[in-house]
Amino acid sequence: MSEPYDEEPQGLPCVLSEEVTELLMDKAMPGDVFGAIVAATVVINETRGDVPGSTASAKWPQQRRMPLGVDGSLGIAEYVIVVGADPPHIVLTRIQLY
């Protein structure tokens, strides 16, 4: 049986480092920062890490940075694409807030 034609390729799971998890659990975190981090995980997942506007490290191309918030107004999210793992996934490793 053929697959539906409107089905898009599945993204890669985006997991959080302990540091990012602790940041998200901070009750003092402003809602716009929390929302921007959650939105970043969704975009990272859906694009399989190829986020528009992200930059890759020349030395480690699997390591990426992306702006957080409108035009990066809130900070930078750093993540690593782990395609060699079973299963492949992405780790949101650090959030740098301004």
Side-chain angles (χ1 to χ4, degrees):
M1 182 173 216
S2 64
E3 295 182 10
Y5 64 89
D6 60 348
E7 196 170 303
E8 292 188 26
Q10 187 175 11
L12 287 177
C14 183
V15 296
L16 307 177
S17 69
E18 287 183 28
E19 179 181 328
V20 174
T21 299
E22 287 177 18
L23 179 66
L24 284 173
M25 295 180 72
D26 183 353
K27 293 181 189 226
M29 178 186 293
D32 59 340
V33 175
F34 182 88
I37 294 170
V38 171
T41 64
V42 171
V43 171
I44 290 168
N45 168 272
E46 289 177 347
T47 62
R48 301 177 65 86
D50 192 18
V51 177
S54 68
T55 58
S57 167
K59 192 171 182 178
W60 296 289
Q62 69 276 16
Q63 180 183 17
R64 307 285 175 94
R65 290 182 174 180
M66 66 177 280
L68 194 62
V70 177
D71 296 326
S73 61
L74 297 175
I76 297 171
E78 296 181 356
Y79 60 97
V80 176
I81 304 169
V82 191
V83 293
D86 186 25
H89 62 280
I90 299 170
V91 180
L92 185 57
T93 56
R94 187 163 66 147
I95 303 294
Q96 296 176 316
L97 298 174
Y98 298 133

